[in-house]
Amino acid sequence: MGGTAVIMPRYKANLACLSFTILLCGFPTLAQSPEPPAAGATGGQPGAPATAASARGPLPEPQPSGSIGGTVVDRTGAFLVGARVTITHEDPSPSQEAFSGDDGQFSLVNIPSGPFHLSITAPGFATQTFTGALRSGEVYAVPQITLAIATAVTEVRVVPTRVEVAEDEIKEEEKQRVLGVIPNFYVTYLPNAAPLSSKQKFELAWKTTVDPVNLGITGVIAGVQQAQNDFSGYGQGAQGFAKRYGASYADLVAGTFIGSAVLPSLLKQDPRYFYKGTGSKRSRILYALANAVICKGDNGHWQANYSSILGSLAAGGISNLYYPAKNRDGAELTFENALVGIGASAAANLLQEFLVRKLTPNGSNHSAAKSQSIIGKLSSTLVHDGD
């Protein structure tokens, strides 16, 4: 019995320790029990996104896109291969493009609904456009597109050559006649007249020597010489008149061709008198006198008038071949005559500057006529519309 009494207290003590231990082990579990989630926190729970989506409302459903197609042909109905079809929209959506195939057909896919604009281009053809509106999910068939051949516009600017300009000026100069009768071909009223070619210098000399008025004036000179019995070695009568006429005409031909054609062509000088017409009277007088010994070169620069001076000397020397022996000029007299010729040129220039212009009807209209004759050559536009 005594042993039993001892065992029972130990048993109770062990039971108390075991109960205390169980309580200690269970306390952390109670301390770590989860707290309710904070307001608005998802906590990684699967239902959180649906809750947020519900707060924002339902998302819009995507609208289905459409497509656009069509055929490109030329005026004959033949399919056009490789035609570029570009589509643009009213909104800032990026443009798209497609090319027609062997059958002329093109197709544009995934096109957003709304108004659209097509531009169809092909090399050698005029651009064609088409505007329409695409509905959601629609397959839009564009009516057959016919491209016309592009209109070819060729602008041809024709600039006349210097020779052509000079030719027009000469034609006007040949109309210049003092009192409407006496030729006044070797004067130009254009300060920047185009230089003459060698051919034009000879043509002007030829027209001067064969002009009917000059032929008549030569006859008058021969008649006066015969009346005064000048160059008596020629005699009188019809034969004497013919010789005097021939000698006077030979002087005209030799002086004109040598001094106004041959030498000006070789020396590149212009045989014409360039009318000044502006400035003070003194400046115009000095200009006219100076032009007896200077001239304008084909390069536009002023230079000594070798053509006129040497031409007078050459013509005087040639005249010794056909004048009577007792009337032939020696070398000294030939030079004296050349100086007289220079003085005569100066006097003629003064008349040109202050008088002859007023007596030459066509001279005052020269510039306007020249401009009208050339204006058609300056430029022209040729327009060809392709078939």
Side-chain angles (χ1 to χ4, degrees):
M1 288 294 294
T4 307
V6 174
I7 293 172
M8 290 299 294
R10 289 181 179 176
Y11 171 76
K12 292 181 178 180
N14 290 337
L15 181 60
C17 289
L18 178 61
S19 301
F20 183 74
T21 301
I22 292 173
L23 289 173
L24 290 178
C25 292
F27 180 77
T29 305
L30 295 175
Q32 296 177 3
S33 60
E35 297 180 359
T42 60
Q45 298 300 321
T51 303
S54 300
R56 291 194 302 266
L59 294 175
E61 296 183 2
Q63 297 294 328
S65 59
S67 62
I68 300 174
T71 306
V72 184
V73 299
D74 61 16
R75 281 187 176 181
T76 64
F79 297 132
L80 285 180
V81 181
R84 182 193 299 268
V85 183
T86 304
I87 182 171
T88 56
H89 309 274
E90 293 182 353
D91 57 25
S93 301
S95 62
Q96 298 172 255
E97 65 179 27
F99 294 87
S100 60
D102 294 339
D103 54 0
Q105 295 185 0
F106 66 90
S107 179
L108 295 160
V109 297
N110 298 325
I111 306 302
S113 60
F116 66 86
H117 178 81
L118 296 181
S119 177
I120 304 93
T121 60
F125 292 86
T127 301
Q128 184 70 276
T129 60
F130 179 83
T131 300
L134 181 67
R135 292 192 296 270
S136 177
E138 180 183 10
V139 178
Y140 194 106
V142 177
Q144 181 173 278
I145 298 172
T146 302
L147 296 186
I149 296 177
T151 300
V153 179
T154 305
E155 182 176 352
V156 181
R157 189 168 298 276
V158 182
V159 179
T161 64
R162 188 178 69 174
V163 174
E164 291 174 330
V165 174
E167 190 67 31
D168 286 335
E169 293 173 356
I170 290 176
K171 290 179 181 179
E172 296 302 318
E173 290 167 13
E174 291 172 355
K175 299 176 183 178
Q176 297 171 175
R177 294 181 180 271
V178 181
L179 299 175
V181 178
I182 303 173
N184 191 27
F185 301 162
Y186 279 97
V187 177
T188 175
Y189 295 104
L190 294 173
N192 297 316
L196 306 178
S197 66
S198 296
K199 179 182 178 182
Q200 290 168 335
K201 292 172 184 177
F202 276 91
E203 288 178 348
L204 191 58
W206 168 255
K207 292 178 180 179
T208 299
T209 56
V210 299
D211 186 82
V213 176
N214 283 336
L215 295 177
I217 292 175
T218 301
V220 172
I221 293 174
V224 172
Q225 290 174 347
Q226 183 156 337
Q228 297 176 352
N229 200 29
D230 294 335
F231 310 111
S232 57
Y234 287 145
Q236 292 292 321
Q239 185 177 7
F241 176 81
K243 291 180 180 180
R244 290 180 175 85
Y245 185 93
S248 295
Y249 187 69
D251 289 345
L252 172 65
V253 173
T256 302
F257 271 91
I258 296 176
S260 300
V262 177
L263 291 177
S265 296
L266 295 175
L267 301 177
K268 307 294 183 182
Q269 295 184 328
D270 200 309
R272 298 171 295 180
Y273 176 76
F274 285 76
Y275 177 77
K276 181 176 175 62
T278 59
S280 65
K281 183 177 294 185
R282 180 176 179 273
S283 66
R284 294 175 67 187
I285 291 175
L286 293 177
Y287 175 84
L289 295 177
N291 269 262
V293 292
I294 65 173
C295 67
K296 185 176 285 190
D298 290 346
N299 58 3
H301 299 153
W302 292 99
Q303 51 194 255
N305 195 352
Y306 299 112
S307 299
S308 179
I309 297 172
L310 296 178
S312 296
L313 293 174
I318 294 174
S319 67
N320 289 324
L321 299 177
Y322 49 80
Y323 276 101
K326 64 178 181 179
N327 300 120
R328 293 175 183 174
D329 298 334
E332 181 179 355
L333 188 56
T334 298
F335 280 97
E336 290 179 1
N337 287 337
L339 293 176
V340 172
I342 292 175
S345 295
N349 292 343
L350 287 172
L351 291 175
Q352 290 285 359
E353 194 66 31
F354 294 99
L355 179 62
V356 175
R357 171 65 181 271
K358 300 176 182 178
L359 303 178
T360 307
N362 290 329
S364 60
N365 298 325
H366 178 83
S367 298
K370 180 254 183 183
S371 300
Q372 290 298 324
S373 63
I374 294 178
I375 193 170
K377 294 182 179 180
L378 289 180
S379 64
S380 61
T381 302
L382 303 179
V383 179
H384 171 68
D385 189 358
D387 295 330

